[in-house]
């Protein structure tokens, strides 16, 4: 355990179990999809429909951002599986972590804590918003830090370096998403779809952003179900 992580976790944990209302509020925020991804995705849609002389270019960059976000999730999950397992602060005995009131492991114990997929996804989106609408981007980055990243530190779900690692992956992918070759591909093959068949385009975009807002929980549930069926069939 490095001093950077342990000192920050110890500092934040010193506030735990002083107020049932505060601890419960933080835990509620950490698990509420509306207050996490819902806010950031709402800013994506607000940016999409915001009147602008450069609307077509902004929308193209937002689609690039969404694709970059998907790639970032794959990278984050891949690293969590490939790198050595990292136990979460809430269960790391050497930290003597005091769980806030009402906090549970939320099914995270079997998942390595590094990197944070929440930080990866939402820093990628917030950074992408910043590139096309600075005021909304600053609001999104501030919101992600205060209401998505900080609760996960306070509750012992992640170490600061988990958050920093995830944020770095997300911001890097947001930058790559602005690459000309990628944006040109989106402009050539994806954006004409929005003109040709806006109904199907927005239906698919809604489903995709809904999955992002909920960290793909529905898709994960479907995947687990299909995997269990396959495993039962093979036994």
């Amino acid at each position: 355990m490095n001093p950077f992580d342990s000192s920050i976790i110890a500092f934040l944990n010193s506030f735990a179990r002083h107020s049932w209302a505060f601890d419960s509020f933080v835990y509620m925020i950490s698990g509420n999809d509306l207050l996490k991804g819902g806010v950031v995705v709402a800013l994506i849609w607000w940016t999409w429909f915001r009147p602008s002389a450069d609307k077509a270019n902004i929308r193209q960059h937002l689609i690039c951002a969404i694709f970059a976000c998907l790639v970032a999730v794959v990278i984050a999950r891949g690293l969590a599986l490939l790198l050595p397992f990292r136990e979460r602060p809430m269960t790391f005995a050497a930290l003597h972590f005091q769980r806030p009131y009402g906090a549970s492991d939320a099914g995270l114990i079997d998942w390595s804590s590094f990197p944070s997929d929440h930080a990866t996804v939402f820093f990628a989106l917030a950074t992408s918003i910043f590139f096309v609408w600075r005021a909304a981007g600053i609001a999104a980055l501030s919101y992600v830090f205060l209401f998505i990243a900080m609760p996960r530190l306070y509750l012992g779900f992640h170490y600061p370096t988990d958050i920093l690692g995830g944020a770095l992956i997300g911001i890097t992918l947001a930058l790559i998403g602005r690459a000309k070759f990628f944006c040109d591909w989106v402009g050539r093959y994806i954006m004409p779809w929005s003109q040709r068949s806006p109904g199907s385009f927005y239906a698919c975009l809604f489903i995709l952003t809904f999955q992002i807002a909920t960290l793909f929980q529905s898709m994960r549930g479907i995947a687990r179900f299909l995997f269990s069926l396959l495993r039962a069939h093979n036994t």
Side-chain angles (χ1 to χ4, degrees), residues 135-208:
I138 292 173
L141 287 166
S142 301
Y143 190 89
V144 170
F145 176 75
L146 290 173
F147 293 99
I148 297 179
M150 288 300 293
R152 304 191 77 74
L153 294 177
Y154 182 77
L155 296 169
F157 293 166
H158 286 291
Y159 300 94
T161 48
D162 298 337
I163 300 295
L164 290 174
L168 181 61
I169 295 170
I171 292 170
T172 300
L173 265 294
L175 288 167
I176 293 174
R178 289 179 62 81
K180 186 177 185 302
F181 75 91
F182 187 53
C183 288
D184 287 346
W185 179 85
V186 169
R188 187 177 303 113
Y189 296 104
I190 304 298
M191 297 312 296
W193 176 21
S194 67
Q195 303 295 325
R196 186 172 60 252
S197 179
S200 63
F201 173 82
Y202 281 109
C204 291
L205 186 59
F206 166 76
I207 291 173
L208 183 56

Side-chain angles (χ1 to χ4, degrees), residues 30-205:
S30 75
N32 190 290
D33 291 329
L34 177 61
L35 296 178
K36 291 192 301 181
V39 172
V40 180
V41 167
L43 284 171
I44 289 282
W45 282 99
W46 187 358
T47 306
W48 182 278
F49 287 106
R50 177 174 174 253
S52 172
D54 198 24
K55 183 182 292 186
N57 190 47
I58 288 173
R59 290 182 173 183
Q60 182 171 314
H61 280 294
L62 289 176
I63 293 295
C64 292
I66 290 171
F67 277 109
C69 173
L70 298 178
V71 174
V73 170
V74 173
I75 292 174
R77 284 294 89 206
L79 288 174
L81 293 172
L82 293 173
L83 293 175
F85 184 85
R86 191 181 200 191
E87 190 175 356
R88 294 179 185 270
M90 65 169 66
T91 60
F92 190 57
L95 281 175
H96 304 290
F97 187 84
Q98 184 175 230
R99 291 196 184 191
Y101 288 118
S104 71
D105 59 40
L108 298 172
I109 297 302
D110 296 329
W111 290 87
S112 178
S113 71
F114 182 87
S116 166
D117 51 5
H118 280 74
T120 300
V121 170
F122 296 119
F123 272 105
L125 290 179
T127 303
S128 298
I129 294 171
F130 177 81
F131 288 147
V132 296
W133 185 9
R134 183 157 298 184
I138 292 173
L141 287 166
S142 301
Y143 190 89
V144 170
F145 176 75
L146 290 173
F147 293 99
I148 297 179
M150 288 300 293
R152 304 191 77 74
L153 294 177
Y154 182 77
L155 296 169
F157 293 166
H158 286 291
Y159 300 94
T161 48
D162 298 337
I163 300 295
L164 290 174
L168 181 61
I169 295 170
I171 292 170
T172 300
L173 265 294
L175 288 167
I176 293 174
R178 289 179 62 81
K180 186 177 185 302
F181 75 91
F182 187 53
C183 288
D184 287 346
W185 179 85
V186 169
R188 187 177 303 113
Y189 296 104
I190 304 298
M191 297 312 296
W193 176 21
S194 67
Q195 303 295 325
R196 186 172 60 252
S197 179
S200 63
F201 173 82
Y202 281 109
C204 291
L205 186 59

